[in-house]
Amino acid sequence: MVRLHPTGAHTESPRRLEVLLAAFEWREASPAELTAIERCHSPAYVEEIRSVNEPTWLDQDTMCFATSYEAGLLAAGAACEAVEAGGFALGRPPGHHALPDRAMGFCLFGNAAIAARHAQAELGMKRVAIVDWDVHHGNGTEAIFLDDPGVLFVSMHQWPFYPGTGGPGDGNETTLNVPLPAGSGDAEYEQAFREVVEPAVRGFEPELVLVSAGFDAHAEDPLGGMLVSEDGFRMLARRSAALAPRFAAVLEGGYNLATLPALVAAAMDGFST
């Protein structure tokens, strides 16, 4: 996934994964099957990504290369294996902005969404909760599950901010958006999680909580305007993992290469406690 999606100096760079692979013990994942991808994306869109044969801008933010399709299969496959093993999928490109029929916001395939569908189809789970604490609203994940009563999608994100969705009042019975103002830090996130997220997820009674773990709400991230600390991510991870008998996590954003490994380590510590 470093080599196959060669975005160079782009914000979503191969170095994001390189620094994490250097910091942690890991094992390789197998690519997702086409069937798994098409549970969330239209065949025409999947073929569009597969047929790219030269560097291409899919939108103003999202690059695609001749080998990006293979990288996307690996990222989705890692997410599916994380669900099976109770692990943390360190993959790229990220996924929570990917719409059913369109790339967006650095994302090609909805890795967390594909993993949730995998849990439903292959592991027999009837109720899955996806908790997304990336600084940006997970509009792609929301779009995929908006009409699925078996998946609760909860997104905590900066508002107003890219991509402009997930504002106050947006959602339905199984789509909960928790917009937070710029400058929110550990205390604000803890309060929102305790007062809004936890009651909603516990009330849904999921068999699995799958975290879309973005780290761009950190105080030193170049894209976000939030002030979450290492301890804040540890808290979010610990509280998320306590909400269901099984949990897994999928990497989303986080673009400060100097801080990303420590933030992921803090989350892993929280998941394990």
Side-chain angles (χ1 to χ4, degrees), residues 85-103:
F88 194 145
L90 301 178
R92 62 178 293 272
H96 74 152
H97 294 308
L99 296 162
D101 58 358
R102 180 162 59 90

Side-chain angles (χ1 to χ4, degrees), residues 39 83 114-126 128 208:
R39 292 187 183 117
V83 163
I114 291 164
R117 287 275 190 240
H118 177 78
Q120 291 176 311
E122 304 297 336
L123 305 179
M125 295 186 184
K126 300 186 183 303
V128 176
L208 166 73

